[in-house]
């Protein structure tokens, strides 16, 4: 939790103003941030200086792992995070590749589960990683990437957290997640939950021990309409101790994740938090 607050303070004290063309807003910005999460000790990096809706973040992650391309499927899991980008993004609404209401196009999990090959076939990146790790294989390329420049025009949003690299040392599983851009008041709150949960979940279904998750952010920013709330409200609050995340031990395979897992299979214990803060969201 403290490293999150330190990053927020760093942006406020060291950041530079950059105009964001997509949103038409200015962002206070720093380049390069590195965070680490102790998954082995189950120190769940849930923000405590405001209420964090962790179920929505994990629901979004499950949708990625299933390869969903519709905001409706994400809503069915329990998150509305893709509603705006699928249905309110002007450029996407006018895109000939958009199939209709709630369609997200070829973004995130679609790339992770069905990356198109030049010969017409597809690659299931996640399946390969799960199979390798289950068989104690680490070929130094256990990489799940959503970043496909050749198909950016076929989706509503380029991926922000775009690549997850798994590393196996003996029976310990590590994760390094790379993110090109981060709306720290809103996105980072979700992203650190997802990085932690992804490692813990992947370790469980491959029979490994979760170790540490490393999270690299290239462009970390606070939008101008979020600055006052972060500086004058959230950063003045004292954080609480981190809670713990518990995952249903009956989740044992990728097929379980694909078929029957719901948010009822995740539980957070010991979560103390301050009052919610409603930060503006930029589409």
């Amino acid at each position: 939790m403290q490293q999150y607050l330190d990053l927020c303070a760093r942006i406020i004290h060291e950041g530079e103003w950059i105009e964001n063309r997509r949103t038409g807003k200015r962002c206070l910005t720093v380049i390069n941030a590195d965070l680490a999460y102790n998954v082995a000790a189950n120190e769940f990096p849930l923000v405590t200086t405001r209420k964090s809706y962790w179920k929505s973040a994990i629901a979004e992650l499950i949708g990625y792992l299933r390869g969903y391309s519709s905001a409706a499927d994400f809503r069915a899991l329990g998150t509305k995070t893709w509603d705006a980008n699928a249905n309110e993004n002007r450029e996407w609404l006018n895109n000939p590749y958009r199939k209709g209401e709630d369609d997200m196009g070829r973004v995130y999990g679609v790339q992770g589960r069905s990356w198109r090959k030049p010969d017409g076939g597809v690659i299931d990146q996640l399946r390969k990683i799960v199979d390798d790790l289950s068989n104690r294989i680490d070929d130094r390329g256990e990489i799940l990437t959503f970043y496909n420049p050749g198909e950016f025009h076929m989706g509503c949003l380029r991926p922000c957290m775009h690549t997850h690299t798994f590393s196996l040392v003996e029976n310990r599983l590590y994760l390094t997640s790379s993110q090109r851009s981060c709306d720290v008041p809103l996105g980072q709150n979700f992203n650190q939950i997802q990085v932690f949960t992804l490692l813990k979940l992947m370790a469980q279904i491959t029979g490994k021990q979760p170790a540490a998750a490393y999270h690299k952010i290239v462009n970390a920013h606070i939008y101008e309409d979020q600055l006052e709330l972060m500086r004058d409200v959230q950063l003045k609050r004292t954080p609480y101790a981190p809670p713990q995340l518990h995952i249903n031990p009956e989740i044992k395979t990728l097929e379980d994740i694909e078929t029957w897992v719901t948010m009822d299979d995740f539980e957070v214990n010991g979560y103390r938090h301050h009052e919610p803060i409603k930060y503006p969201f930029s589409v």
Side-chain angles (χ1 to χ4, degrees), residues 21-23 84-98 152-153 155-157 283:
R21 183 178 300 177
R22 178 177 65 86
T23 62
N85 282 309
N87 299 308
E88 299 175 22
N89 181 328
R90 185 178 303 173
E91 289 187 10
W92 179 237
L93 293 178
N94 296 321
N95 190 309
Y97 286 98
R98 185 173 184 264
F152 283 166
H153 64 294
C156 65
L157 183 71
V283 179

Side-chain angles (χ1 to χ4, degrees), residues 27-63:
C27 300
L28 200 55
T29 305
V30 298
I31 301 301
N32 193 53
D34 291 289
L35 301 96
Y37 313 125
N38 190 345
V39 187
N42 201 11
E43 295 178 357
F44 194 37
L46 200 51
V47 170
T48 62
T49 47
R50 71 178 177 91
K51 185 176 182 179
S52 177
Y53 298 94
W54 59 270
K55 284 190 176 183
S56 184
I58 294 179
E60 184 179 61
L61 174 64
I62 297 301

Side-chain angles (χ1 to χ4, degrees), residues 7-278:
L7 174 57
C8 295
R10 178 190 162 201
I11 294 172
I12 290 172
H13 295 134
E14 301 176 14
E16 296 184 44
W17 287 108
I18 294 178
E19 189 78 25
N20 183 260
R21 183 178 300 177
R22 178 177 65 86
T23 62
K25 298 179 182 179
R26 293 192 308 159
C27 300
L28 200 55
T29 305
V30 298
I31 301 301
N32 193 53
D34 291 289
L35 301 96
Y37 313 125
N38 190 345
V39 187
N42 201 11
E43 295 178 357
F44 194 37
L46 200 51
V47 170
T48 62
T49 47
R50 71 178 177 91
K51 185 176 182 179
S52 177
Y53 298 94
W54 59 270
K55 284 190 176 183
S56 184
I58 294 179
E60 184 179 61
L61 174 64
I62 297 301
Y64 293 161
L65 298 182
R66 289 178 175 175
Y68 283 166
S69 63
S70 171
D73 289 330
F74 282 90
R75 286 198 301 274
L77 272 173
T79 182
K80 297 180 179 180
T81 51
W82 281 95
D83 286 4
N85 282 309
N87 299 308
E88 299 175 22
N89 181 328
R90 185 178 303 173
E91 289 187 10
W92 179 237
L93 293 178
N94 296 321
N95 190 309
Y97 286 98
R98 185 173 184 264
K99 298 176 181 178
E101 185 178 0
D102 286 325
D103 181 45
M104 298 156 48
R106 291 189 56 79
V107 297
Y108 282 87
V110 175
Q111 301 292 348
R113 301 306 307 270
S114 58
W115 181 288
R116 288 175 176 165
K117 300 193 296 180
D119 63 8
V122 296
I123 298 172
D124 187 340
Q125 300 178 66
L126 182 59
R127 179 80 266 175
K128 180 263 184 187
I129 295 168
V130 169
D131 288 346
D132 279 359
L133 296 178
S134 297
N135 290 292
R136 302 184 61 83
I137 296 171
D138 178 359
D139 65 6
R140 300 180 183 175
E142 305 302 340
I143 298 172
L144 175 66
T145 184
F146 306 141
Y147 206 80
N148 186 351
E151 294 191 345
F152 283 166
H153 64 294
M154 301 172 70
C156 65
L157 183 71
R158 288 182 301 164
C160 295
M161 188 158 60
H162 56 81
T163 301
H164 303 281
T165 303
F166 294 90
S167 302
L168 190 60
V169 180
E170 296 298 334
N171 200 47
R172 303 187 307 278
L173 186 62
Y174 295 82
L175 172 61
T176 303
S177 296
S178 302
Q179 187 165 354
R180 65 171 179 85
S181 173
C182 184
D183 174 344
V184 174
L186 286 176
Q188 175 63 15
N189 180 49
F190 262 50
N191 296 143
Q192 60 191 38
I193 291 172
Q194 292 171 338
V195 171
F196 184 99
T197 305
L198 179 58
L199 176 56
K200 191 174 177 68
L201 192 56
M202 286 288 283
Q204 181 166 310
I205 67 173
T206 60
K208 303 298 176 286
Q209 293 298 317
Y214 302 103
H215 187 180
K216 174 173 281 296
I217 303 169
V218 176
N219 183 305
H221 50 267
I222 298 174
Y223 281 100
E224 56 187 332
D225 55 6
Q226 300 170 331
L227 180 59
E228 185 176 353
L229 285 171
M230 175 59 72
R231 182 191 60 216
D232 300 338
V233 180
Q234 188 164 0
L235 280 179
K236 293 186 181 299
R237 295 174 173 178
T238 302
Y240 296 113
Q244 292 194 325
L245 173 67
H246 297 283
I247 300 175
N248 182 351
E250 293 303 312
I251 303 175
K252 298 176 181 178
T253 67
L254 180 55
E255 288 74 20
D256 291 340
I257 295 172
E258 293 170 333
T259 55
W260 57 263
V261 168
T262 71
M263 292 311 98
D264 292 337
D265 294 298
F266 300 87
E267 181 181 354
V268 171
N269 292 333
Y271 183 36
R272 298 179 62 201
H273 57 80
H274 291 265
E275 291 297 310
I277 299 176
K278 190 173 180 59

